[in-house]
Amino acid sequence: RKTIKRTAANQAVKSRIRTLRKKALSPIESGDAATASASLNEFASAADKAAKTKVLHKNSSSRLKSRLATKVRALTKKA
């Protein structure tokens, strides 16, 4: 009975994470360090919340955040 509601809620969270990740990747590709850093913070917060509610596994959340942070760090060093 609860499965449909929970699945919909979890799907919305996962969708938001994917969207925020894309939103963080686009300034990295264009070379905008400030926007990329701000987007990374927003993404990291959403990923942590998803891990806390077990929508994402905590290691998956960490892996995604780490990979994105590495790209942002490389961008800020280059700039």
Side-chain angles (χ1 to χ4, degrees):
R1 290 177 302 151
K2 296 177 182 177
T3 312
I4 296 168
K5 284 182 184 175
R6 287 181 182 172
T7 303
N10 291 344
Q11 197 59 45
V13 171
K14 285 182 182 182
S15 176
R16 181 162 188 269
I17 287 173
R18 280 192 295 269
T19 304
L20 288 172
R21 186 162 174 261
K22 288 175 198 166
K23 192 176 164 187
L25 284 171
S26 61
I28 291 171
E29 290 171 8
S30 65
D32 184 2
T35 308
S37 182
S39 297
L40 171 65
N41 289 340
E42 193 178 355
F43 170 76
S45 175
D48 283 337
K49 285 178 185 171
K52 184 173 80 172
T53 57
K54 296 189 171 68
V55 174
L56 274 183
H57 193 278
K58 65 179 180 176
N59 292 357
S60 296
S61 171
S62 280
R63 186 181 64 247
L64 291 171
K65 290 189 307 180
S66 175
R67 288 179 181 173
L68 206 55
T70 305
K71 289 178 183 179
V72 171
R73 205 173 308 115
L75 185 66
T76 51
K77 277 186 179 177
K78 193 177 3 172

